[in-house]
């Protein structure tokens, strides 16, 4: 179950905050809260901007058209949806006084981005694992056709899993609560915690441990040429970046899966202060910011593409400034060199 602030009573949204926080959120729902609402709007815009930069760099720079970057750009689309759709739906849910239809939509779309993120990371891990353990088979294994099929599978799974909830919810009467729905929700959340968090994370940790072992062994064994050392360093750098993305996912999303499951098992399990709740609630969105930052500013090809774009912009700005300056100077010179009419001497008239 998704966790939203507020004292909603329908099973989709868990209530895990104290009474004073509930009261403050009801006051917030009746109007605009400058601090809270400004922060959430800024967060959404930041997510859209940084992930939009990734997508634009990929479109502008042909050198980025490789299979791994296709996976990263698809992840950027998923992260961008957090700022473009998920946060606005949360915002609408809060301002509407926790209207159940809006909060239900928020929960569904939020689950899509959560599942999409973990499966994209799993896909990227598999790509890197083949690249390091079987480098000569990588290009033949991850062909463009295979890459598109894998991405379609990731998005299909991410969209299908949240829709399973509609099997026991009545879309026209979401307020209905009964033991059958609660039982289904418990089984569903246990399944999601296993297949969308526990199993993928364990697989990725084992894969990165194996990749680290292989890279370390190669580094010790190679009496390498400069080119081989550069290739090994590049692979190690990419592995560190993607492993960092996995760590970010664990830190940001573990509270979500853990608290959802804990609330199903014991509704009064968590009573936390307002500040701690807000931190846990919004930390989920941090992965949508940190992921693109990691591979734009630290992955070699994206960093090079960004530098080229910045340099092109600076060159164009410099040329434009130079041309405008010359145009202004030439106009001033023309004004100074143009012949001026002689001044007529002013002689006072005399009366006759």
């Amino acid at each position: 179950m998704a966790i939203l602030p507020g004292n909603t009573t329908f099973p989709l949204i868990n209530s895990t905050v104290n009474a004073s926080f509930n009261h403050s959120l009801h006051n917030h729902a009746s109007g605009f809260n400058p601090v809270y609402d400004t922060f959430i709007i800024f967060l959404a815009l930041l997510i859209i901007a940084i992930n939009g930069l990734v997508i634009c760099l990929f479109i502008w720079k042909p050198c980025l058209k490789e299979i791994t970057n296709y996976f990263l750009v698809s992840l950027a689309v998923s992260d961008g949806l957090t700022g473009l759709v998920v946060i606005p739906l949360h915002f609408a849910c809060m301002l509407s006084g926790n209207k159940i239809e809006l909060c239900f939509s928020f929960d569904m779309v939020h689950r899509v981005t959560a599942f999409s993120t973990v499966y994209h990371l799993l896909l990227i891990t598999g790509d890197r694992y083949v690249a390091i353990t079987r480098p000569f088979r990588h290009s033949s294994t991850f062909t463009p056709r295979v890459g598109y099929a894998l991405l379609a599978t990731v998005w299909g799974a991410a969209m299908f899993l949240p829709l399973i909830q509609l099997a026991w919810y009545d879309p026209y009467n979401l307020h209905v609560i009964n033991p059958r729905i609660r039982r289904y929700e418990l089984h569903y959340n246990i399944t999601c915690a296993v297949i969308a968090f526990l199993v993928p994370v364990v697989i990725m940790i084992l894969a990165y441990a194996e990749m680290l072992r292989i890279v370390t062994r190669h580094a010790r064994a190679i009496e390498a040429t400069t080119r081989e050392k550069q290739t090994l360093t590049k692979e190690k750098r990419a592995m560190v970046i993607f492993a960092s993305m996995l760590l970010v996912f664990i830190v940001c999303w573990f509270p979500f899966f853990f608290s959802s499951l804990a609330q199903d098992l014991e509704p009064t399990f968590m009573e936390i202060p307002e500040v701690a709740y807000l931190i846990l609630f919004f930390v989920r969105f941090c992965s949508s910011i940190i992921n693109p930052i990691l591979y734009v500013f630290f992955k070699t090809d994206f960093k090079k593409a960004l530098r080229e774009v910045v340099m092109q912009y600076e060159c164009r700005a410099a040329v434009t400034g130079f041309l405008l300056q010359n145009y202004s100077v030439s106009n001033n010179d023309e004004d100074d060199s143009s012949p001026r009419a002689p001044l007529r001497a002013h002689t006072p008239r005399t009366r006759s």
Side-chain angles (χ1 to χ4, degrees), residues 301-321:
D301 52 354
F302 270 98
K303 185 168 68 173
K304 181 181 178 181
L306 180 61
R307 188 185 301 115
E308 290 176 355
V309 170
V310 171
M311 290 179 63
Q312 289 175 359
Y313 175 80
E314 290 178 347
C315 289
R316 289 177 183 175
V319 170
T320 302

Side-chain angles (χ1 to χ4, degrees), residues 1 3 11 14 26 55 68 110 113 115 117 123 138 150 156-157 192 195 217 236 248 251 253 255 264 294 298 315 337:
M1 294 182 187
I3 302 176
N14 288 313
H26 279 295
I55 297 170
T68 303
H110 191 35
T113 58
F115 298 149
T117 298
L123 181 58
H138 179 262
L150 290 172
C192 287
I195 68 174
R217 186 184 64 190
K236 186 185 296 185
V248 168
V251 172
W253 285 99
D264 286 329
L294 283 173
F298 295 96
C315 289
S337 61

Side-chain angles (χ1 to χ4, degrees), residues 343-349:
L343 296 175
R344 293 183 298 175
H346 178 73
T347 56
R349 294 184 179 180

Side-chain angles (χ1 to χ4, degrees), residues 86-162:
V86 175
I87 292 180
L89 280 175
H90 163 67
F91 192 64
C93 172
M94 298 301 298
L95 290 182
S96 67
N98 291 330
K99 188 176 181 181
I100 191 168
E101 291 79 11
L102 289 173
C103 295
F104 188 91
S105 301
F106 162 77
D107 180 80
M108 297 286 283
V109 179
H110 191 35
R111 284 183 181 275
V112 170
T113 58
F115 298 149
S116 173
T117 298
V118 68
Y119 291 140
H120 273 96
L121 293 177
L122 186 61
L123 181 58
I124 292 167
T125 301
D127 172 72
R128 288 298 86 200
Y129 183 82
V130 174
I132 291 176
T133 59
R134 294 173 176 81
F136 298 108
R137 296 184 181 180
H138 179 262
S139 58
S140 60
T141 302
F142 284 91
T143 62
R145 179 176 296 180
V146 171
Y148 294 144
L150 290 172
L151 288 176
T153 303
V154 165
W155 281 104
M159 293 179 183
F160 172 73
L161 289 175

Side-chain angles (χ1 to χ4, degrees), residues 168-214:
W168 54 85
Y169 280 112
D170 181 3
Y172 301 101
N173 194 8
L174 295 172
H175 293 273
V176 173
I177 303 173
N178 56 54
R180 181 179 65 89
I181 289 179
R182 293 187 184 278
R183 185 173 65 255
Y184 285 154
E185 276 294 313
L186 175 60
H187 295 163
Y188 175 75
N189 282 303
I190 291 174
T191 303
C192 287
V194 171
I195 68 174
F197 185 81
L198 183 61
V199 171
V201 166
V202 170
I203 291 174
M204 286 186 279
I205 290 175
L206 294 176
Y208 281 114
E210 178 65 12
M211 285 187 277
L212 179 62
R213 186 187 68 82
I214 293 173

